[in-house]
Amino acid sequence: MTAVSAARLPISVLTGFLGSGKTTLLSRIIRDPRMARTAVIINEFGEVGLDHLLVAKADENTVLMDSGCICCTIRSDLADTLRDLYLRRLRDEVPEFDRVVIETTGLADPAPILHTLMTDPLVAARFRLDGVVTTVDAVHGMGQLDAQEESLKQAAVADRLVLTKTDIATPAAVDYLKHRLKELNPAALVVDAQTDEALPVLLFDAGLYNPETKSLDVQRWLRAEAYDDHGHHHHDHDHHDHGHDDHADCDHDHGHCAHEDHDPNRHDEAIGAFCLTFTQPLVWDELVGFLETLARLRGPDVLRVKGVLNVVESDQPIVIHGVQHLFHPPVQLDAWPSDDHRSRIVFITRDVSRQVVETLYASCTGKSVG
């Protein structure tokens, strides 16, 4: 793998389970003046309630909106749509745009979209993944996480989790959902769609590859401090996040609360998130061999991998990002984001423990983690 340039157009993937408010959030976002130079890609235009924003239909695939945004449907596949949209931008056939937002269907696994961004050479040369934004219904979210693995996976791989319908949910339900999401995905920023006014600022430019602020972005994107030294989640029960003092009712080991009615055999018992930290510089070929072996053996269960690496072969940090068995081309940064030059790799997995990953690393490299 060879490091690539960071100067590509950012793409944000907007996902969330059926009825969780994706379209409402998207409609609100594209009205914001800061999002005027945005291209929106959706699966089925007729199913999305944005008609009141439309002013002209450029062709069968592309619509111009009074917000200044471009909206288009996915053609034969996402890669075709992105390539076509980029070429039309170059030919001035559509207004120039600075970012892309892709809205998935409610039952979508976001992994195939991330795969496209990583594996299609023409797409990867022009676009970069900024982050995954997932909407979670505060009223029905707990039941959906219990019953629907798609909902669980959408939340587990998110960089930003947006709580919707908090105005009609009980405070206890909102507090417990926040707690559960923090255990499921401790590094994700959780925002409230009802109370957070600056949503575009909070949801976008969330990724690593903004050349102007990438030092700060590395820290926000990775957030390795969300995991303790043993790879377990921090349970941060403070008043800011939960707003009440009834945590004595919660079983912190399993995230269960006595006042909540949900499935004790829920799917997220299988989801794990942990960070491996390496004090000594890594040998690139050894690391690649380890990651390729992990992907070959357990690819479908490695939901997401992201890390900042100190490698023997480079004086500059290298960033990696993978989804299941595929990895985005690594990116070389100009400088470290802080004085801490240790390598840190975050894994979000399903039924793959930290011990299994550490043992595999030792087997592949002959070295221990640490």
Side-chain angles (χ1 to χ4, degrees):
M1 291 187 288
T2 303
V4 298
S5 169
R8 292 165 290 152
L9 293 175
I11 292 181
S12 297
V13 178
L14 174 60
T15 189
F17 201 67
L18 294 167
S20 62
K22 292 186 303 299
T23 299
T24 300
L25 179 64
L26 180 61
S27 177
R28 173 181 168 186
I29 287 170
I30 62 177
R31 282 190 168 119
D32 191 294
R34 291 165 292 190
M35 300 297 291
R37 292 165 63 91
T38 299
V40 178
I41 296 177
I42 57 180
N43 284 336
E44 291 295 338
F45 198 77
E47 296 179 3
V48 177
L50 299 177
D51 294 338
H52 58 291
L53 298 174
L54 310 183
V55 295
K57 188 162 185 174
D59 58 26
E60 68 276 12
N61 295 315
T62 305
V63 177
L64 307 181
M65 293 180 276
D66 61 10
S67 61
C69 295
I70 307 159
C71 193
C72 62
T73 54
I74 291 178
R75 300 174 61 195
S76 59
D77 61 36
L78 177 60
D80 284 349
T81 300
L82 286 169
R83 289 192 296 264
D84 177 68
L85 194 58
Y86 191 86
L87 290 174
R88 298 182 70 185
R89 176 180 181 268
L90 291 179
R91 296 194 294 257
D92 295 324
E93 294 177 4
V94 297
E96 189 168 354
F97 54 90
D98 297 331
R99 70 171 64 249
V100 177
V101 176
I102 300 172
E103 183 189 7
T104 76
T105 63
L107 293 173
D109 177 350
I113 290 177
L114 306 186
H115 288 176
T116 296
L117 299 178
M118 294 175 186
T119 59
D120 185 283
L122 295 178
V123 170
R126 296 170 174 86
F127 299 96
R128 59 178 173 81
L129 177 66
D130 179 60
V132 178
V133 178
T134 299
T135 53
V136 182
D137 184 330
V139 176
H140 302 107
M142 288 296 298
Q144 291 167 349
L145 290 170
D146 284 339
Q148 304 291 338
E149 191 168 1
E150 297 92 345
S151 173
L152 190 73
K153 197 169 183 182
Q154 290 164 354
V157 303
D159 298 288
R160 301 288 188 260
L161 291 163
V162 182
L163 299 185
T164 62
K165 308 179 187 178
T166 54
D167 55 330
I168 58 175
T170 66
V174 174
D175 290 341
Y176 185 51
L177 181 59
K178 287 182 179 179
H179 167 67
R180 183 169 177 183
L181 291 172
K182 184 170 282 192
E183 291 215 322
L184 176 65
N185 188 344
L189 175 67
V190 179
V191 299
D192 189 326
Q194 299 298 322
T195 59
D196 288 316
E197 295 296 329
L199 275 183
V201 175
L202 295 171
L203 300 184
F204 302 103
D205 298 325
L208 171 65
Y209 308 125
N210 183 346
E212 296 178 1
T213 60
K214 62 187 173 186
S215 292
L216 292 175
D217 286 339
V218 170
Q219 295 171 325
R220 290 204 321 241
W221 177 76
L222 186 62
R223 290 193 66 193
E225 71 275 9
Y227 311 86
D228 66 22
D229 291 337
H230 302 289
H232 301 302
H233 306 164
H234 282 308
H235 304 309
D236 183 13
H237 301 298
D238 57 46
H239 292 284
H240 177 75
D241 284 331
H242 299 281
H244 62 76
D245 208 11
D246 63 354
H247 305 302
D249 294 334
C250 294
D251 172 354
H252 290 180
D253 290 333
H254 300 287
H256 298 167
C257 286
H259 60 267
E260 295 291 343
D261 180 18
H262 64 89
D263 180 5
N265 299 312
R266 67 191 194 205
H267 297 292
D268 49 332
E269 297 297 331
I271 301 292
F274 52 90
C275 180
L276 301 188
T277 302
F278 302 82
T279 303
Q280 298 300 317
L282 302 173
V283 177
W284 179 249
D285 287 344
E286 292 180 353
L287 179 71
V288 170
F290 153 66
L291 292 174
E292 289 178 345
T293 302
L294 177 64
R296 185 171 65 252
L297 295 177
R298 301 300 301 269
D301 296 318
V302 180
L303 303 182
R304 204 162 180 192
V305 177
K306 49 187 178 180
V308 179
L309 309 178
N310 182 348
V311 299
V312 172
E313 295 84 351
S314 175
D315 293 330
Q316 298 166 303
I318 302 293
V319 171
I320 59 170
H321 177 219
V323 176
Q324 294 182 326
H325 61 283
L326 296 171
F327 277 80
H328 199 282
V331 173
Q332 183 171 280
L333 303 182
D334 292 336
W336 283 90
S338 70
D339 293 333
D340 186 354
H341 290 191
R342 294 177 300 170
S343 298
R344 289 155 290 159
I345 309 176
V346 168
F347 295 84
I348 300 174
T349 62
R350 177 177 53 204
D351 289 322
V352 181
S353 69
R354 175 190 178 103
Q355 182 178 1
V356 166
V357 175
E358 288 187 340
T359 300
L360 183 62
Y361 177 81
S363 175
C364 291
T365 66
K367 302 171 183 177
S368 60
V369 175

